[in-house]
Amino acid sequence: MENRKTFYITTPIYYPSDKLHIGHTYCTVATDVFARYKRLRGYDVMFLTGTDEHGQKIEQKAKEAGKTPQKFVDDIVCGKGGILDLWKLMNISNDRFIRTTDDYHVAAVQRIFKKMYDNGDIYKGAYKGKYCTPCESFWTESQLKDGMCPDCGRPVHDAEEEAYFFRLSKYAKPVQELLESGTFLEPASRVNEMINNFIKPGLEDLCVSRTSFSWGIPVDFDPGHVVYVWVDALFNYATALGFMNDRYDDFGKYWPPVNIVGKEIVRFHSIIWPAMLMSVGEPVPTKVYGHGWLVFGGEKMSKSKGNVVDPYILADKFGVDALRFFLLRTFPFGSDGNFTNELLINTINTDLANDLGNLVSRTTAMVEKYFGGRLPAARESGDFDGELLALIASTAEKYAAQMDVFQPHLALEEVFKLIQRANKYIDETLPWALAKDESKKARLATVLYNLLEALRVSLIMLTPFIPASCEKAFAQIGADKAAQSWDSAAVYGVLPAEVEVHKGETLFPRIDTQKMLEELEATHAKPAPKIEYPPVSPDVSIDEFAKCDMRVCKVLSCEAVKKSDRLLKFMLDDGSGTPRQILSGIHKFYEPEELVGKTVVAILNLPSRKMMGLESNGMLLSALRMVDGKEDLYLMMLDDSVPAGAKLC
Ligand code: MSP
C-alpha cells in the first residue's frame, strides 16, 4: 500500500461572497468524480477544495451585511446551508478543506511573498490601471472589452496605488513553452486563446499588492500593503499540503496537482500560476483543465442577473445522485452547457429510471420470481451471449481511456452502451418464456447471471458518479467488496455461481415531467429579463429645461375613467389652493385607491388637452423602462414630507 501512486486533484477555491449555485456544484462534483475514479483505480488520492476568503469584494459585502469580514465568511462557509453543508450533501469526498483565512495559509503566503521579493521577482513600483472590483482584477486599457472588464463585462474604474509587482514578463517565454508542450492546459483550444490573447500581446508585470483596502494577508515587511488576492488564492494548492508551513507534511508526497478550474480563471492558472511556481522553484501542475460554464438561457448564472439555480432545491427534488449524474452525463466537460429543468428530468428518466433502474429491478425481480432469490449453479450458454460478454470484457478499458483524459460524459456513454445492450439482451432471450419450460432452467439461470454481471461491471464504473446508489445496487445484486473492485471491472464470472440477490427499493423513480416542471417553476428563478437602455437624448440648454414647471402635488382623489382601460383621473393639490385635474394613462400599473394621498410630481405648464371628453391640465411624471419588450412603469412618488406646490429645479 505504501508504494501506491499518488494523485493530487483540486477544485478552485470558491469566493464565500454568496451562497454557491449549481455552476459551482458542477465544478466540485466533476472534481469529486475524478478523485473517486482515481481511488477506484488504486491511487493514493489527495482531493482538496476550499474557500477564497480575502479581498475587496468580500470586505464590501461584509460591510453591507453589517458584519466583520471574518464573521461574514464564517457564516457562508460554516453556517447552516453554507458551503461545507453543500459539499456534505453532494457527497463530496474531499480529503482536505482549506480556507485562505487559516493561520497556516496566511503565514505561508507571507513567506512565499518574501521569498519572491528576496529573489528579485517581486519589486516595488506604482500602479495605474483599470480595476474591476467584482473580479478583483486590474486590467490594462488594451485588455478591456468595449471599455468593460473582459471577464465579467462590468464597468471598471481608474485606480492608482503604490504597489509591489511580480516579474511576470520574465516568465513569458517559459510559460509559452509550457503551454505549447504536451498537455499542461486542456482542452487544447484554450492554449491558443491564452497565447494569442495574453502572451503574444506582451506579458506585463503583475501588480501583486494592494493598499486601498485591508481585508487580505498583510505584506509583513511593508505594513499597509496586502497581498493581491489571486497570489494568496493560487498558493492554497501548495500551502494545503504544507508548503512553507508545518501544519501539514504532504507536499513532497502529492505535489504537483491537477487543477480543475472554470474557463474564466484559466488565465490565472495557466499563466500567472506556473510563473509564480517557477519563481519559487517548484514544479508546475501536471495539468490545468479548464471546463465550460453551465449557462441558463444562454447567460452565465449570477445573483445580479437573477438566474441562479439552487443545488439544494434540485438535490431535494431529484436526489443527490441523480443530480450528480445529470451534471456529468449531459454536458461535455470542456464546453458550455445550457441548463434546463426539462433536460435534467429527461436525463434522469431516460438513463437512470429507464435504462439503469429498470435493468436492476427487472433482473433482481426475475431472480426472485424464478429462483427464490438464489441462482442455481447449472449453466447453459446460448444465442446472444457473445455480444454481451464481449462488452462486459471491453467496456472498462474504453471507459478508463475517457476518464483518463477528463471526458466523463464520453466515459458514461460507454457504460450506457453496455446497459442498453443488456436491456436488449432481455428482449432477445425472453427469460419469461424460458421460465415456462422446466428444461430451460439452466439457460434461464445463465441469462440472469449474465445480466447480473453486466450490471456489476456497469456499477463499478458508475460508482464515482453515483456512489450511494451503486452501494445500494451492489447489495441488491449480491456483489461483495471484491466484486466491486476495479480489477474485476473487465472480468466475467466474478459473482458467485449461486449468487443471492435482494430486491430492494426503486433506485431512481420515474419523474412526472409536467408535475415536476410546475413545482420547479414555483421555486426557481426565471431567466434574466432583457432590459433596454436607450441612448441618452441630445443635450437641452438649462434655459429650455427651466421652462418646465414641475411641482410636487398631493393626490386628493383618483378614479378610473369610464370606458377607458388606461386612464385614471386625478384631482391634485398643487399648492395653489385650487384643485387641479390631470388624466394619466397608468391604470395598467396602478389601482386608483392605492394612489390616494400619495405625493407625486406633475408638470403643470403643458397646454391643457381633452381625453375621453375630460380635461387634463398637466402631466404626471413617471419612470419608464422596457423589459422583455414590455413597458415597466413607476409613478414618481416623493417622501410625504415634501409639501405640495414645491417646485422641482
Ligand atoms: N476564488 C476564485 C478561484 C480561485 S482558485 C485559486 C473564483 N471563485 S468563484 O467562486 O467565482 O468560482 C469558482 C469556480 O466556480 C470557477 O472555476 C468558476 O468557473 C466556477 N463556476 C462559477 N459559475 C459557474 C457556472 N455557471 N458554470 C460552471 N462553473 C462555474 O473564481
Side-chain angles (χ1 to χ4, degrees):
M1 276 313 234
E2 270 312 294
N3 290 329
R4 282 191 304 160
K5 275 202 279 185
T6 58
F7 180 71
Y8 179 33
I9 190 162
T10 66
T11 72
I13 48 173
Y14 299 92
Y15 289 129
S17 51
D18 249 319
K19 285 183 84 169
L20 299 189
H21 56 61
I22 195 71
H24 306 112
T25 308
Y26 173 56
C27 183
T28 302
V29 169
T31 312
D32 183 60
V33 166
F34 298 131
R36 285 177 183 271
Y37 165 70
K38 285 290 185 178
R39 285 191 203 107
L40 181 67
R41 298 296 310 265
Y43 283 76
D44 175 349
V45 171
M46 171 62 74
F47 169 18
L48 174 73
T49 187
T51 41
D52 185 358
E53 305 191 350
H54 291 124
Q56 195 170 11
K57 185 169 157 193
I58 303 269
E59 191 179 75
Q60 260 174 18
K61 285 259 186 178
K63 208 167 158 196
E64 286 161 21
K67 297 180 186 179
T68 63
Q70 190 65 57
K71 168 84 174 110
F72 178 80
V73 293
D74 285 351
D75 287 350
I76 292 189
V77 177
C78 313
K80 195 165 176 315
I83 295 176
L84 289 173
D85 276 0
L86 177 62
W87 298 153
K88 204 165 159 201
L89 171 74
M90 292 307 300
N91 207 354
I92 301 303
S93 64
N94 57 300
D95 300 286
R96 219 160 264 180
F97 189 95
I98 186 169
R99 301 181 59 185
T100 53
T101 53
D102 288 337
D103 289 349
Y104 74 91
H105 172 79
V106 170
V109 167
Q110 289 177 325
R111 291 181 200 118
I112 292 164
F113 198 89
K114 181 76 168 42
K115 181 166 177 164
M116 292 194 282
Y117 180 74
D118 288 343
N119 73 19
D121 275 349
I122 284 182
Y123 63 91
K124 201 169 191 176
Y127 192 84
K128 277 188 192 156
K130 303 283 178 189
Y131 193 67
C132 173
T133 307
C135 294
E136 317 268 8
S137 297
F138 263 102
W139 301 97
T140 59
E141 197 79 49
S142 64
Q143 288 171 326
L144 301 180
K145 261 197 198 139
D146 302 326
M148 302 289 183
C149 169
D151 270 356
C152 72
R154 281 181 271 216
V156 292
H157 62 269
D158 286 318
E160 180 177 347
E161 55 187 36
E162 182 191 70
Y164 287 92
F165 286 81
F166 173 66
R167 285 189 204 285
L168 188 57
S169 54
K170 172 174 153 189
Y171 293 96
K173 198 159 172 275
V175 169
Q176 179 165 356
E177 281 163 8
L178 174 68
L179 285 167
E180 284 168 342
S181 73
T183 55
F184 167 71
L185 173 61
E186 282 188 310
S189 57
R190 307 220 187 272
V191 172
N192 283 340
E193 199 183 310
M194 290 302 120
I195 292 177
N196 294 337
N197 295 353
F198 299 108
I199 300 206
K200 287 225 170 114
L203 267 192
E204 291 171 24
D205 288 351
L206 177 76
C207 180
V208 289
S209 74
R210 300 287 182 266
T211 50
S212 51
F213 62 92
S214 58
W215 181 241
I217 299 181
V219 175
D220 52 357
F221 57 88
D222 195 349
H225 289 259
V226 296
V227 176
Y228 174 41
V229 69
W230 270 100
V231 175
D232 166 356
L234 286 164
F235 273 101
N236 91 85
Y237 304 128
T239 62
L241 297 185
F243 181 61
M244 295 271 202
N245 68 84
D246 45 24
R247 169 75 194 270
Y248 297 109
D249 191 18
D250 302 310
F251 189 73
K253 183 171 177 193
Y254 291 106
W255 195 260
V258 168
N259 295 137
I260 304 290
V261 302
K263 64 176 187 179
E264 86 285 19
I265 56 173
V266 162
R267 178 176 76 98
F268 293 97
H269 283 83
S270 66
I271 296 177
I272 298 169
W273 177 219
M276 288 195 305
L277 284 169
M278 290 172 192
S279 170
V280 296
E282 297 297 341
V284 300
T286 31
K287 181 172 304 295
V288 171
Y289 195 99
H291 66 75
W293 282 346
L294 278 197
V295 295
F296 194 84
E299 293 204 53
K300 195 181 180 212
M301 277 172 224
S302 85
K303 195 100 180 179
S304 57
K305 289 181 190 149
N307 63 351
V308 172
V309 177
D310 184 345
Y312 276 100
I313 295 177
L314 296 183
D316 177 51
K317 300 259 179 225
F318 299 100
V320 168
D321 275 354
L323 180 57
R324 288 174 59 107
F325 176 81
F326 161 72
L327 292 172
L328 291 157
R329 165 74 161 146
T330 317
F331 309 114
F333 193 51
S335 329
D336 287 354
N338 197 14
F339 176 94
T340 68
N341 291 323
E342 286 84 348
L343 197 55
L344 170 56
I345 297 170
N346 267 344
T347 308
I348 295 175
N349 279 346
T350 309
D351 291 343
L352 296 181
N354 273 8
D355 288 355
L356 175 63
N358 273 347
L359 185 60
V360 175
S361 60
R362 286 162 95 191
T363 307
T364 52
M366 288 191 286
V367 177
E368 290 213 332
K369 186 166 169 199
Y370 304 138
F371 295 109
R374 193 190 185 100
L375 284 185
R379 292 286 179 267
E380 180 189 327
S381 54
D383 291 343
F384 313 112
D385 292 2
E387 218 180 290
L388 184 66
L389 266 46
L391 268 188
I392 290 176
S394 64
T395 301
E397 193 182 333
K398 288 184 246 165
Y399 161 94
Q402 297 297 353
M403 291 297 277
D404 289 339
V405 294
F406 303 91
Q407 296 291 286
H409 65 295
L410 296 179
L412 285 173
E413 193 60 42
E414 297 298 336
V415 181
F416 275 79
K417 278 185 202 159
L418 171 57
I419 291 174
Q420 282 150 11
R421 187 66 193 83
N423 275 315
K424 189 170 159 211
Y425 179 76
I426 298 182
D427 300 335
E428 291 165 340
T429 52
L430 307 171
W432 44 90
L434 297 174
K436 288 189 186 131
D437 185 341
E438 204 46 42
S439 71
K440 302 255 170 73
K441 280 278 145 112
R443 176 64 189 141
L444 176 60
T446 308
V447 165
L448 295 178
Y449 184 81
N450 289 349
L451 288 170
L452 289 172
E453 278 291 280
L455 262 175
R456 183 185 63 77
V457 300
S458 302
L459 291 170
I460 294 174
M461 293 180 267
L462 290 173
T463 302
F465 298 84
I466 49 171
S469 307
C470 287
E471 202 180 316
K472 288 182 196 157
F474 277 131
Q476 293 189 13
I477 66 163
D480 63 11
K481 279 280 167 243
Q484 301 174 17
S485 73
W486 178 259
D487 288 344
S488 71
V491 184
Y492 172 78
V494 173
L495 287 172
E498 294 182 35
V499 59
E500 198 174 325
V501 307
H502 308 273
K503 191 169 162 37
E505 57 177 302
T506 305
L507 293 173
F508 300 101
R510 228 193 127 68
I511 295 159
D512 178 335
T513 308
Q514 213 38 49
K515 204 167 136 232
M516 183 57 92
L517 284 177
E518 280 161 23
E519 269 182 43
L520 288 169
E521 185 77 0
T523 44
H524 268 321
K526 306 226 172 6
K530 189 172 174 306
I531 297 168
E532 285 171 28
Y533 185 78
V536 172
S537 307
D539 290 354
V540 290
S541 72
I542 187 77
D543 295 339
E544 276 173 282
F545 172 73
K547 286 182 194 160
C548 300
D549 193 338
M550 291 179 284
R551 304 285 179 111
V552 176
C553 300
K554 304 280 172 178
V555 179
L556 299 171
S557 69
C558 178
E559 59 190 63
V561 173
K562 287 198 189 86
K563 294 203 187 123
S564 165
D565 47 9
R566 286 189 329 114
L567 284 181
L568 292 178
K569 185 179 86 170
F570 290 83
M571 291 307 288
L572 302 166
D573 170 7
D574 63 3
S576 66
T578 314
R580 174 180 289 265
Q581 177 170 300
I582 287 183
L583 302 180
S584 180
I586 59 172
H587 197 174
K588 202 164 79 179
F589 304 99
Y590 295 95
E591 288 307 318
E593 50 275 21
E594 59 180 306
L595 296 176
V596 178
K598 293 283 190 247
T599 305
V600 297
V601 178
I603 170 162
L604 303 187
N605 58 341
L606 289 175
S608 83
R609 52 187 285 224
K610 277 205 162 166
M611 290 182 249
M612 305 290 286
L614 296 167
E615 200 165 281
S616 180
N617 297 308
M619 187 176 86
L620 289 178
L621 297 191
S622 298
L624 178 74
R625 58 177 196 161
M626 299 303 285
V627 178
D628 288 334
K630 291 199 203 95
E631 287 185 335
D632 181 29
L633 179 139
Y634 301 83
L635 182 64
M636 213 162 134
M637 290 189 238
L638 300 180
D639 188 282
D640 289 335
S641 64
V642 189
K647 189 170 171 184
L648 268 75
C649 51

